[in-house]
Amino acid sequence: MPQPSSARLHEFRIVSNDKIADGIFSLVIEAPALAAAIKPGQFMNFEVPGNAQSLLRIPLSYARADAEAGTVEVWYAVVGEGTERLSRMRPGDTSTVLGPGGHGWSVPADCSRVLLVGGGIGVPPLVPLAEQLAHDGIAFDVCIGAKTASTCAGVSSFEALGAASVAVATDDGTQGHHGFVTDLAADALGQTSYDYVATCGPGVMMQKVAQAAGEAEVYCEASLERMMSCGFGACSTCNVETTEGMKGACMCGPVFDASKVVVW
């Protein structure tokens, strides 16, 4: 398991902040040192101005980092007051971000084919992993789950990176399979030989993906969502119960060996 990078405080300037799906935004920030340091699966803790009573930063994963341009792209869902404030920030606005935090994905050596399974806003952390796989010449398939077609994001990104297949499941059947993304993942694991599964999304979804991967005897990692209040292991608000005891998601995660997660 790779060691977590030492998170640092970075000033950033917003390049763009645009809606890309229903309730989902793409935020591009200019932060050269962060863009050069962050690795697939790591996260950042954003300070969002506008509410003096809000002391906590907002932990977000990233979808793309361009070291040459000095930019990092984040996809986020507007789910509360903090992300609603973030959605109102405009190009040129500035603030600070703490990162990169934690450790990311650990693709096994000699891996030849990978299955990526993302649900909702759990899709973004899989995009830089797909980019890494494409760079390393490793084939990958993608399963994406969303509530409805208007909230589905990421298909074109994975296709542009050369995914062997991109399958979509929506709860209401407005795009792709009418049902859960776990159905697609189980089918893929039953039909194709994989060396590694990476998943991010709702806990119940990841638990089922991990179970299917375990039954297929494929190593699986999951990126868990917790409220990482401080982002550097001091507050213990992001603990994850594992077979090896309680571990903080901000330092020991957010990516965990799925077989060792007890509480999703």
Side-chain angles (χ1 to χ4, degrees):
M1 179 181 294
Q3 295 300 309
S5 300
S6 298
R8 297 178 58 187
L9 192 64
H10 307 265
E11 293 185 354
F12 71 84
R13 180 184 66 84
I14 292 182
V15 177
S16 62
N17 193 14
D18 302 317
K19 187 175 181 179
I20 59 172
D22 189 12
I24 300 176
F25 285 72
S26 166
L27 170 71
V28 178
I29 63 170
E30 185 177 63
L34 179 60
I38 199 164
K39 304 298 182 185
Q42 291 186 302
F43 74 98
M44 300 158 287
N45 245 8
F46 282 80
E47 178 185 9
V48 181
N51 184 350
Q53 295 180 324
S54 180
L55 302 178
L56 299 180
R57 293 175 177 268
I58 298 177
L60 296 171
S61 56
Y62 81 103
R64 292 187 183 87
D66 188 331
E68 185 174 341
T71 59
V72 181
E73 181 178 1
V74 174
W75 297 353
Y76 65 95
V78 178
V79 294
E81 189 270 340
T83 47
E84 198 279 328
R85 275 188 284 118
L86 181 59
S87 72
R88 297 199 305 266
M89 295 183 73
R90 294 293 177 259
D93 288 349
T94 60
S95 189
T96 64
V97 59
L98 183 69
H103 74 83
W105 308 104
S106 303
V107 181
D110 302 322
C111 185
S112 61
R113 196 174 190 94
V114 173
L115 177 63
L116 309 179
V117 186
I121 202 60
V123 170
L126 297 171
V127 176
L129 175 56
E131 185 174 9
Q132 175 187 319
L133 295 172
H135 177 270
D136 294 341
I138 300 173
F140 62 95
D141 299 297
V142 184
C143 297
I144 296 175
K147 289 183 178 180
T148 187
S150 65
T151 62
C152 183
V155 174
S156 60
S157 297
F158 291 117
E159 290 176 341
L161 289 169
S165 66
V166 181
V168 174
T170 50
D171 294 352
D172 61 2
T174 51
Q175 184 173 346
H177 171 69
H178 186 179
F180 299 126
V181 69
T182 48
D183 300 333
L184 300 178
D187 288 345
L189 284 162
Q191 298 172 9
T192 305
S193 178
Y194 294 103
D195 304 300
Y196 174 61
V197 176
T199 184
C200 184
V204 65
M205 182 211 83
M206 292 191 290
Q207 185 176 23
K208 290 183 178 180
V209 171
Q211 181 179 356
E215 292 172 353
E217 299 184 343
V218 181
Y219 177 58
C220 177
E221 286 190 319
S223 179
L224 272 61
E225 180 179 354
R226 293 291 189 273
M227 188 58 214
M228 294 178 269
S229 301
C230 70
F232 49 83
C235 68
S236 299
T237 61
C238 65
N239 283 343
V240 174
E241 185 177 350
T242 76
T243 56
E244 299 172 341
M246 302 297 287
K247 294 190 175 185
C250 69
M251 297 297 288
C252 299
V255 177
F256 289 87
D257 177 342
S259 69
K260 296 181 179 179
V261 176
V262 175
V263 177
W264 293 86

